[in-house]
Amino acid sequence: MAATEAGLAPDQFEDLVDAVTEGPVEFDGLTVGYEDDGYVFEVPDLHREHLSVEELERVAAANAEWVTNWHFWTVVVGGEGTARRDFLRWLEAADEHTVQARYDAMEADGIHHEWGELLVTVELGEVGYRRYELRHVDDSEADPADLTVHDEPRDLRDLSKYDDRGRYRPLKTAPSLVDGWMLRDLTSGELKEALGFVYPATVENWHREHEGTLDVSHWRETAERQTGIYDVVDELPREAVEWVTEAACVDSQCLKRREWQYDEDDHLDTPGGDGTFPCREPCSLVVAAARKWTKLEEEAERTYEFELTPSEKEQLEAIVDAVADGRTDEIREADVYEGANRYRARYLRAKRFDEDGRLCGVPTEE
Amino acid sequence: MQALVIVAHGSHLNPESSAPTYAHADTIRESGAFDEVREAFWKEEPSFRDALRTVESEAVFVVPLFISEGYFTEEVIPRELRLDDWEPELWDSDGTSASQATLYAEDVDKTIHYCGPVGTHDAMSDVIVKRAETVTGDPDVGEGFGLAVVGHGTERNENSAKAIEYHADRIRATGRFDEVKALYMDEEPEVDDVTDYFESEDVVVVPLFVADGYHTQEDIPEDMGLTDDYREGWDTPAEVDGHRIWYAGAVGTEEFMADVILERAAEAGADVRDALEKVREATGGVPASGD
Ligand code: SF4
């Protein structure tokens, strides 16, 4: 798109002149200054000097992209050094691509980025203002006509509260965000607000990681800090902490990339995952579950004797597996080849459980 | 720039637990009183640990959406927010009089005005009365009515009962209701025997809880005999032993709570004068006691 078509609003030009009175403007390839004999305007491949303010306005309008880009980042976004700004710059890869290339990409198809299960698209609005669109990554190819359009960031708070079966999602970064919706024409502020509702604090911690200031609290430190009913979690054996992370912190269960370890120089074997944003300490869900596991791990092991056929033993294994992977819903009603099929499970219960629900009639405490 | 962070308990199991926090935060957001308004939770996200970094303002007003002073407000919240110089003495409170303490949070380099919980604010007495008005549909409710303010009971926190007494005393002193009693779930006098404590035929029961959940929607209605099975619901009012019980549910869901949150922040030095007016209009509130 030609620069003039992008347009420059009068107030944007006024803001530029105001800024120049404070000192030279240098931003993303644009330099505007004032010297004794007039304004200087410079962008790649163009250098003009001795400009009157009218001439400056004409040159600025002819090179509107550089000026609107400066205006957007300096006046609209502002917030030098903030997570918000760093994130927005990252979204359009502003430090790697020229203004021209970015404007072309935003104009053509928008610039896309995944953020957890969200697809963020940056588009070019009027006079260089950015507009952001959000949808589920699974809907990246969807026709907008097939999606429910929302325009309030707050709607996402409600949308992200339940999974597609209507169950409450206590862990916001669980990979179970519902699809079928879109938010469009968001301002940068609204985008930030929406992300804060779906994945709270992820932008801020990602930013800290970028800056090298992410403050990670490892398991030991976090466990020792707990009081009240959670005071006990520091008694969970180290080995069990491995199982905790395997149960909760893997990509299939949580989109955060676990950065915390057992201790600063005692790393866990479970991989941290591939998520875009880091997890800086065990979350409340993991701490609460760990409390239960701490109590369970205090129990001594016992030896029980059961009579099971080999297939029945394998069936129990299949049931645990299906529940652990959340696959029970996928097992077809009549698929009796699946150990975790409901009829198979009911048959096993009818055959092997006594009236008190005890496996092979073996009392638990013996 | 100034930010408000409302800190609340939240839940891993009950999606309704955080609903009042969001509702009051939205009301305050719309008033424009703060440049930023954020919710933070013990059991949900953002966690207390991550909350302060989600706002850019250098001055942050933290208001606990909790009923009483005690374990959470004195120990858990300051610790998790990394208010290193915190000590309960800074509030100089007798258990119901905490207002605010100014602290510094190093990890975010911000000034934190740590406010007392909403539950012990004087304006909370007005919210309880407002709740009685809402549930009876009568803005003048009082004459011929008894009012029961219900708390959890001592359990781990002796200040929890103090907060209930405090408001019961204050409302009693206004003379608006024929009788006002403080009742508890876990200690005497118990809410189970609510009708034993009142002569008035009509009794409004207001639980001093932040959110509706297990206690306010299952335990208390069944214990009081409003219903045999909470799932079947109950009438408002419900007949119990010759009394009409108007059960209000958690006081924290009352819209006027947003005013109390703002009052807390205002007392800690937040500039919210214009917003208070707007919020009062939106919530139909009355100026808080002491104004
Ligand atoms: S502790 Fe584990 S489950 Fe919790 S947020 Fe971090 S990575 Fe996810």
Side-chain angles (χ1 to χ4, degrees):
Chain A
M1 182 179 59
T4 42
E5 281 170 41
L8 179 66
D11 65 306
Q12 290 177 314
F13 180 69
E14 280 162 29
D15 286 342
L16 179 70
V17 174
D18 284 350
V20 170
T21 54
E22 305 281 313
V25 160
E26 280 180 43
F27 192 79
D28 279 0
L30 167 76
T31 307
V32 186
Y34 186 81
E35 287 166 10
D36 295 342
D37 49 358
Y39 291 95
V40 180
F41 184 98
E42 191 174 297
V43 293
D45 305 330
L46 178 81
H47 178 93
R48 300 283 308 275
E49 51 190 25
H50 315 303
L51 300 171
S52 69
V53 74
E54 291 77 20
E55 287 169 327
L56 177 68
E57 184 161 15
R58 275 198 297 279
V59 178
N63 296 277
E65 287 157 347
W66 278 272
V67 179
T68 59
N69 180 68
W70 164 83
H71 187 266
F72 177 72
W73 289 110
T74 311
V75 181
V76 180
V77 174
E80 197 67 51
T82 59
R84 170 174 59 90
R85 182 189 178 86
D86 190 28
F87 176 75
L88 294 170
R89 296 277 293 173
W90 172 79
L91 276 184
E92 58 184 79
D95 296 333
E96 289 148 52
H97 297 288
T98 62
V99 172
Q100 187 77 58
R102 282 187 272 138
Y103 272 53
D104 287 347
M106 287 188 285
E107 259 274 301
D109 183 34
I111 303 174
H112 309 279
H113 267 288
E114 291 188 9
W115 192 254
E117 286 185 287
L118 293 173
L119 182 74
V120 189
T121 303
V122 197
E123 286 161 340
L124 196 59
E126 275 179 35
V127 291
Y129 281 76
R130 275 43 162 188
R131 285 293 170 262
Y132 300 86
E133 188 210 274
L134 274 178
R135 53 169 87 182
H136 194 290
V137 285
D138 291 352
D139 293 327
S140 56
E141 304 295 324
D143 184 334
D146 296 332
L147 302 175
T148 311
V149 178
H150 297 265
D151 40 33
E152 277 288 329
R154 241 178 259 168
D155 293 349
L156 261 185
R157 184 171 73 202
D158 301 328
L159 275 170
S160 60
K161 201 161 187 176
Y162 301 95
D163 67 13
D164 58 8
R165 289 162 59 198
R167 292 178 309 180
Y168 175 44
R169 300 171 67 239
L171 182 68
K172 300 242 195 227
T173 45
S176 55
L177 187 67
V178 290
D179 57 16
W181 51 268
M182 72 186 281
L183 263 82
R184 59 182 172 198
D185 282 335
L186 299 175
T187 63
S188 62
E190 289 168 337
L191 171 73
K192 177 71 200 323
E193 200 187 353
L195 294 179
F197 284 135
V198 185
Y199 298 133
T202 54
V203 170
E204 289 79 8
N205 284 324
W206 165 91
H207 168 69
R208 281 176 176 251
E209 187 177 47
H210 251 205
E211 304 274 286
T213 56
L214 183 69
D215 44 349
V216 175
S217 302
H218 298 287
W219 173 266
R220 277 235 64 85
E221 186 193 335
T222 308
E224 279 162 12
R225 194 177 83 228
Q226 304 301 316
T227 52
I229 59 170
Y230 299 109
D231 192 26
V232 297
V233 299
D234 61 353
E235 288 159 30
L236 188 68
R238 188 196 179 290
E239 185 186 23
V241 179
E242 290 282 1
W243 300 327
V244 170
T245 53
E246 229 181 283
C249 305
V250 290
D251 286 347
S252 67
Q253 307 300 309
C254 179
L255 298 166
K256 277 191 194 162
R257 172 171 27 87
R258 182 180 53 75
E259 285 299 309
W260 55 268
Q261 303 292 346
Y262 184 71
D263 223 338
E264 172 119 33
D265 19 63
D266 181 356
H267 285 208
L268 295 162
D269 288 337
T270 320
D274 297 321
T276 312
F277 30 81
C279 171
R280 45 164 304 281
E281 74 175 27
C283 66
S284 72
L285 206 70
V286 155
V287 170
R291 172 176 177 246
K292 183 70 188 169
W293 284 315
T294 304
K295 300 202 167 206
L296 296 178
E297 288 299 334
E298 278 164 11
E299 286 181 23
E301 288 182 352
R302 291 168 193 272
T303 305
Y304 296 95
E305 222 169 87
F306 302 108
E307 300 291 325
L308 296 173
T309 66
S311 296
E312 285 164 353
K313 175 177 171 290
E314 283 176 2
Q315 193 189 341
L316 287 178
E317 291 156 358
I319 289 171
V320 171
D321 219 38
V323 171
D325 290 337
R327 277 190 296 107
T328 51
D329 271 5
E330 294 161 23
I331 296 169
R332 285 168 299 174
E333 188 79 3
D335 189 358
V336 291
Y337 295 95
E338 266 282 359
N341 169 269
R342 194 169 80 242
Y343 292 121
R344 286 276 305 274
R346 291 179 66 84
Y347 182 94
L348 184 72
R349 182 173 69 178
K351 176 180 172 188
R352 291 296 187 187
F353 287 28
D354 68 9
E355 58 276 14
D356 297 320
R358 294 180 301 199
L359 183 60
C360 302
V362 178
T364 301
E365 281 310 317
E366 258 175 41
Chain B
M1 293 230 306
Q2 56 176 10
L4 172 70
V5 175
I6 306 172
V7 293
H9 194 283
S11 165
H12 293 149
L13 298 172
N14 182 354
E16 285 311 305
S17 169
S18 53
T21 312
Y22 286 125
H24 306 317
D26 287 348
T27 305
I28 296 170
R29 238 177 237 122
E30 274 148 25
S31 77
F34 292 87
D35 300 290
E36 302 166 282
V37 177
R38 206 33 165 144
E39 310 82 349
F41 302 96
W42 175 231
K43 296 282 189 121
E44 298 178 31
E45 294 159 90
S47 64
F48 294 165
R49 287 287 274 185
D50 282 340
L52 296 179
R53 62 190 56 189
T54 66
V55 294
E56 288 179 17
S57 307
E58 53 287 343
V60 185
F61 295 83
V62 174
V63 177
L65 196 53
F66 281 79
I67 290 302
S68 55
E69 294 173 31
Y71 177 60
F72 274 100
T73 58
E74 289 178 0
E75 193 173 337
V76 175
I77 298 168
R79 178 190 77 213
E80 297 292 302
L81 293 179
R82 293 178 256 209
L83 307 179
D84 292 341
D85 295 327
W86 162 258
E87 41 187 314
E89 288 68 39
L90 289 174
W91 267 352
D92 187 24
S93 172
D94 63 6
T96 56
S97 62
S99 63
Q100 78 108 25
T102 304
L103 295 145
Y104 175 71
E106 202 182 324
D107 65 315
V108 287
D109 186 21
K110 291 179 197 300
T111 303
I112 310 299
H113 300 276
Y114 183 44
C115 302
V118 290
T120 55
H121 194 281
D122 283 356
M124 197 66 189
S125 303
D126 301 328
V127 184
I128 296 168
V129 173
K130 198 94 179 58
R131 198 84 193 118
E133 294 171 10
T134 309
V135 71
T136 55
D138 177 4
D140 300 317
V141 64
E143 208 186 318
F145 271 76
L147 173 71
V149 184
V150 181
H152 196 290
T154 48
E155 242 192 339
R156 283 184 295 151
N157 174 6
E158 60 175 59
N159 284 340
S160 129
K162 278 193 199 165
I164 315 297
E165 302 281 346
Y166 183 70
H167 293 297
D169 289 349
R170 281 173 50 84
I171 298 169
R172 191 178 304 114
T174 66
R176 174 167 175 163
F177 294 87
D178 288 358
E179 305 164 88
V180 179
K181 297 274 179 324
L183 302 179
Y184 303 95
M185 283 182 57
D186 280 357
E187 64 173 275
E188 296 280 321
E190 284 196 24
V191 66
D192 303 30
D193 312 317
V194 57
T195 52
D196 295 354
Y197 295 101
F198 287 91
E199 281 169 21
S200 319
E201 207 173 302
D202 286 287
V203 179
V204 180
V205 178
V206 181
L208 205 54
F209 285 72
V210 166
D212 271 322
Y214 173 68
H215 290 313
T216 64
Q217 295 301 301
E218 302 179 24
D219 259 15
I220 299 178
E222 286 186 7
D223 289 351
M224 285 195 300
L226 302 185
T227 177
D228 291 334
D229 182 347
Y230 73 92
R231 279 165 296 205
E232 281 158 20
W234 53 86
D235 294 332
T236 310
E239 294 282 338
V240 179
D241 301 334
H243 292 261
R244 271 193 300 274
I245 305 290
W246 303 75
Y247 180 60
V251 71
T253 60
E254 182 67 36
E255 285 187 355
F256 187 38
M257 283 287 282
D259 302 50
V260 188
I261 296 170
L262 273 182
E263 291 279 354
R264 272 279 182 238
E267 285 168 6
D271 177 13
V272 299
R273 265 156 308 174
D274 298 347
L276 262 171
E277 291 308 315
K278 273 193 225 164
V279 167
R280 275 179 196 149
E281 256 167 54
T283 62
V286 291
S289 332
D291 270 21

